[in-house]
């Protein structure tokens, strides 16, 4: 009777809440972006988030409308697009279906929805997108370059370009469209435009060059104006990779800019780069990504971008014959200054000052100083100190990583470089006049401006520091392309590193547009025979390494799972098929890919120690395993895209390669010929074994982990081993690997003071000596791929691959490893997902949040009893929970859930 009264009161409470509840629509996005300026996608995709206090809320219908003015939108007049009510729960990636888009249009749009409880939202706040150059619209601007001859063997002084112009009519709005060969900064009337760094970005310059769009309405005046551009070498012609002298894409920097002014009377005027511009050099004497910048403030051109500046001694420019056909609007996020760090300590070292920023970071130092004209400051950067406490530079190889500043004298001066960045924790400042204090120096942290999308914490501070290191490794290497490292003479978009880390990246940041942009370059740089280069953009000229080139399949698949975005599969589908075709050609008729110089399980434990060759995994085994698995992924992609014949072909190919793999590499008793953790992990994770053999191989894998007592995997095995152990019933061993503090382990670098992920398991050895300086980065995110397991297994947030994009969420935390609590959040396309747990003796409490317009399957840990959900016994809670394989499992809708239970000890 009592329980019935409780249920009745609960139902009455729910009914009362339902009467007051409202459904609202927020967070409108166009191609993942809020109010994007200057896009060129003819069919943008629209997404939104729904908010409701009611449990189990789903969208039943939506309506979208769009117009060229916000006034018309609100009145519902002169609409470009009006969907009417569309019966669907789709609230992400809805394709624009209105009138064809034209160049330079701003489209305002809004949406309203109705939910399954009969609640209808109001029209949302208006959002907008604005188009740039759409297909068919030609640039009127000319490419321009300085007329002087540049030294093609080294960094040159940065050209300064300028033009004055007069606007006689009242200005309604103005847009600046600009790009360059090299890097640029742009100013109007003495003020820098925009907050973006390293524009126009790094792409496959032979085929794709981004331009940026800026709203400069407030920077112009109805009078005389000036537009100024500074150019730097950047990736285009600066030092890059190991090619002496740089100049990979060209020997000259150049600029292209078009200012479009719309007047209040509706007329427009174009001011653009042409032969009337002038050029000079100034204080930036050298600026190179690897080597740093030399800036002489005595050569500053005071007021150079103002209209009243005297440029009579400036030189004319020349028109450069450069194609405009490859110009594209940016898809990825811009690079910006994201954080500003204060120093942890400043120590006098002889005549110099050694500054510890407390964090291995990427960016540069902003420094203030007062001194005499001609005084020179020099800043040298390092990631780590040696055992004697000295700056350690050897692992930088040929990269000088040095910035120099010559003071002009007089008042206090502030210096920060323009077209270079460093990866560092420590800075040695030489030549500083006076005493350097914490107020004089700041660390300016830069990376691609991706929204944080995840958080992870637990009861172990060392694991929390590991999570911190994963995130800062991501920050340091997501600088327009996913680089391997940010400090030495490399900093390239290695495909293998990107491939293994992508799922972890997507947990921690919104990486959708970042990867979308990079994958376009991967497709552009792919060879005609299907081979995918080792680095993207391609500066090395060769590729075809399995596990690396498979980034062309694995990353689109990871994006599809995380964001539910079919378009990335459509965009990359032909590239995927070409890579499978290359693998098939290299493997030959026996389907075993052997003999090619693959990287294998890069930097595995065996590759570091000759006395542990038992941990070396055959490259042929790895190559064939990827051949089978990538083929199976392409089969699934073909099914999703509706290519039935392709799906059948790649399914059959994958099965044939799987059988060949078993014939070649698996003994009758289930033992792999390469008896290593990586071999068993790949075979099990890629589902290459039959059930009986898989069970035996799982035992062998566990036995190998127990035998070594630690991890032995490298770049390809490490991302998969923990989840493989968990899924084969040895979660205890997965936790043992996580908790291990001695080399090799994830926590060993943490105990050594690491603030980012290291390239090697033992970049710094226990005696504080170092690994081979030829390849020893202390900011290298690949081993941070453990982050996926931390989110998915420790905290319990997982993806249902059959219903991707977190439309259906798997909540399945597996407490262990001595942890007493863990919690993670993830900002999905639908809103915030949260999963956390606390263990107190035999008592377990789970806290779960499921966003509106999604559902979830919640797994309560095995051995749970006396289960209550939101204070009601599980059997009387009204939720559909039942026992499945020893676990209580239930399907729920959106809402917050508190689950209390006791665990068998």
């Amino acid at each position: 009777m009592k329980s019935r009264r409780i249920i009745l009161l609960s139902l009455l409470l729910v009914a009362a809440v339902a009467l007051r509840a409202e459904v609202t629509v927020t967070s409108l996005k166009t191609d993942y972006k809020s109010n994007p300026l200057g896009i060129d996608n003819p069919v943008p995709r629209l997404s939104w988030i729904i908010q409701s206090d009611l449990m189990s809320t789903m969208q039943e219908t939506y309506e979208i409308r769009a117009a060229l003015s916000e006034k018309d939108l609100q009145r519902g007049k002169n609409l470009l697009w009006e969907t009417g009510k569309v019966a669907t729960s789709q609230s992400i990636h809805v394709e624009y279906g209105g009138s064809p888009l034209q160049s330079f249009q701003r489209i305002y749009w809004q949406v309203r929805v109705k939910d399954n409880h009969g609640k209808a939202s109001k029209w949302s706040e208006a959002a907008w997108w604005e188009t740039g150059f759409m297909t068919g619209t030609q640039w009127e601007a000319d490419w321009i370059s300085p007329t002087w001859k540049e030294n093609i063997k080294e960094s040159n002084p940065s050209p300064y370009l300028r033009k004055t112009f007069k606007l006689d009519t009242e200005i309604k709005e103005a847009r600046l469209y600009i790009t360059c060969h090299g890097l640029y900064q742009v100013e109007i009337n003495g003020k820098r435009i925009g907050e973006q760094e390293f524009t126009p970005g790094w792409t496959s310059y032979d085929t794709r060059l981004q331009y940026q769009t800026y709203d400069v309405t407030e920077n112009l005046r109805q009078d005389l104006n000036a537009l100024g551009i500074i150019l730097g070498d950047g990736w285009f012609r600066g030092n890059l990779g190991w090619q002496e002298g740089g100049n990979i894409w060209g020997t000259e920097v150049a600029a292209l800019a078009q200012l479009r002014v719309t007047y209040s009377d509706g007329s427009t005027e174009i001011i653009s780069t042409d032969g009337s511009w002038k050029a000079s050099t100034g204080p930036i004497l050298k600026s190179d990504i690897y080597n740093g910048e030399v800036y002489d403030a005595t050569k500053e051109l005071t007021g150079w971008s103002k209209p009243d500046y005297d440029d009579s001694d400036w030189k004319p420019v020349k028109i450069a014959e450069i194609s405009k056909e490859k110009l594209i609007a940016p898809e990825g996020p811009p690079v910006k200054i994201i954080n500003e760090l204060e120093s942890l300590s400043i120590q006098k070292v002889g005549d110099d000052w050694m500054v510890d920023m407390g964090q291995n970071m990427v960016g540069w130092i902003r420094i203030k100083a007062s001194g005499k004209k001609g005084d020179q400051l020099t800043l040298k950067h390092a990631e780590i100190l040696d055992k004697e406490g000295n700056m350690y530079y050897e692992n930088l190889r040929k990269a000088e990583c040095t910035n120099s500043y010559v003071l002009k004298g007089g008042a206090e001066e502030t210096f920060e470089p323009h077209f270079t960045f460093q990866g560092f924790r420590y800075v040695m400042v030489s030549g500083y006049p006076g005493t350097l204090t914490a107020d004089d120096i700041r660390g300016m942290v830069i990376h691609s401006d991706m929204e944080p999308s995840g958080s992870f914490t637990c009861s172990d501070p060392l694991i929390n520091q590991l999570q911190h290191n994963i995130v800062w490794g991501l920050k340091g290497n997501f600088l327009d392309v996913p680089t391997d490292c940010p400090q030495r003479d490399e900093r390239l978009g290695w495909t293998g590193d990107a491939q293994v880390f992508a799922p972890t990246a997507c947990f921690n940041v919104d990486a959708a547009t970042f990867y979308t942009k990079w994958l376009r370059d991967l497709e552009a740089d792919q060879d005609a025979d299907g081979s995918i280069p080792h680095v993207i953009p391609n500066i090395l000229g060769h590729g075809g390494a399995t596990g690396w080139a498979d980034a062309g399949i694995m990353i689109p698949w990871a994006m599809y799972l995380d964001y539910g975005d079919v378009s990335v599969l459509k965009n990359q589908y032909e590239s995927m098929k070409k890579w499978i075709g290359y693998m098939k050609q290299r493997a030959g008729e026996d389907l075993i890919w052997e003999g090619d110089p693959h990287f294998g399980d890069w930097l595995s434990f065996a590759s570091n120690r000759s006395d542990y060759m038992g941990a070396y995994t055959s490259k042929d085994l790895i190559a064939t395993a990827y051949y089978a698995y990538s083929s199976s992924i392409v089969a699934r992609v073909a099914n999703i895209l509706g290519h039935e014949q392709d799906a059948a072909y790649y399914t059959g190919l994958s099965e044939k390669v799987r059988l060949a793999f078993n014939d070649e590499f698996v003994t009758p008793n289930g033992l792999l010929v390469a008896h290593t953790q990586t071999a068993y992990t790949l075979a099990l994770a890629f589902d290459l074994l039959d059930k009986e053999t898989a069970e035996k191989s799982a035992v062998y894998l566990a036995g190998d982990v127990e035998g070594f007592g630690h991890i032995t995997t490298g770049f390809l095995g490490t991302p998969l081993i923990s989840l493989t152990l968990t899924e084969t019933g040895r979660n205890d061993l997965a936790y043992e690997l996580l908790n291990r503090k001695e080399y090799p382990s994830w926590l060993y670098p943490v105990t050594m003071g690491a603030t980012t992920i290291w390239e090697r398991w033992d970049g710094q050895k226990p005696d504080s000596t170092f690994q081979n300086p030829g390849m020893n980065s202390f900011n290298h995110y690949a081993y941070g791929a453990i982050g996926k397991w931390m989110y998915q297994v420790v905290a319990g947030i997982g993806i249902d691959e059959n219903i991707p994009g977190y439309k259906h969420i798997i909540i399945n935390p597996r407490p262990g490893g001595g942890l007493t609590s863990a919690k993670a959040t993830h900002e999905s396309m639908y809103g915030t997902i949260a999963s956390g747990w606390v263990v107190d003796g035999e008592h377990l409490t789970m806290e779960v949040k499921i966003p509106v317009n999604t559902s979830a399957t919640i797994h309560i840990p095995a051995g749970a009893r006396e289960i209550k959900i939101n204070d009601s016994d599980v059997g009387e809670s009204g939720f559909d929970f039942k026992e499945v394989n020893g676990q209580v499992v239930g399907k729920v809708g959106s809402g917050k859930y508190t689950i209390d239970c006791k665990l068998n000890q």
Side-chain angles (χ1 to χ4, degrees), residues 766-786:
D767 63 358
S768 294
T769 60
F770 297 108
Q771 258 282 0
N772 184 344
M775 190 167 56
N776 195 23
S777 163
F778 292 95
N779 192 349
H780 218 96
Y781 56 64
Y783 284 145
I786 183 62

Side-chain angles (χ1 to χ4, degrees), residues 237-250 290 398 489 539-540:
R237 73 164 300 273
N239 288 295
L240 196 61
W242 309 290
Q243 179 174 318
E244 291 293 331
N247 303 306
I248 288 176
W249 282 281
Y290 287 171
K398 291 183 179 181
D489 56 346
I539 69 161
L540 300 182

Side-chain angles (χ1 to χ4, degrees), residues 261-296:
V261 181
T262 303
Y263 295 114
S264 296
D265 63 6
S267 62
T268 61
E269 183 175 358
I270 302 296
I271 296 94
S272 59
T273 46
D274 57 24
S276 67
W277 282 58
K278 291 187 173 184
S280 182
T281 57
I284 305 175
L285 305 185
K286 292 183 178 181
S287 196
D288 182 83
I289 286 177
Y290 287 171
N291 295 328
E293 182 166 303
V294 177
Y295 186 96
D296 187 347

Side-chain angles (χ1 to χ4, degrees), residues 71-110:
K71 183 178 180 181
D72 280 346
L73 184 73
Q74 301 299 347
R75 294 189 307 169
K77 303 292 185 181
N78 303 315
L79 298 177
L80 290 177
W81 185 34
E82 186 175 21
T83 64
K85 289 186 178 181
V86 180
T88 178
S89 68
Q90 182 182 2
S91 59
I92 64 173
H93 311 309
V94 176
E95 292 187 349
Y96 170 74
S99 301
L101 300 177
Q102 307 298 318
S103 298
F104 319 128
Q105 286 181 320
R106 176 169 288 193
I107 291 84
Y108 296 87
W109 68 285
Q110 57 188 172

Side-chain angles (χ1 to χ4, degrees), residues 449-485:
D449 188 17
M450 301 164 292
E451 288 290 327
S453 66
S455 66
F456 174 91
T457 58
C458 70
S459 56
D460 188 326
L462 292 180
I463 297 174
N464 291 339
Q465 182 64 41
L466 173 62
Q467 167 66 10
H468 170 98
N469 295 359
I470 291 169
V471 171
W472 276 85
L474 182 158
K475 288 182 178 183
N477 285 290
F478 275 43
L479 201 157
D480 209 47
V481 305
T483 60
D484 59 329
C485 61

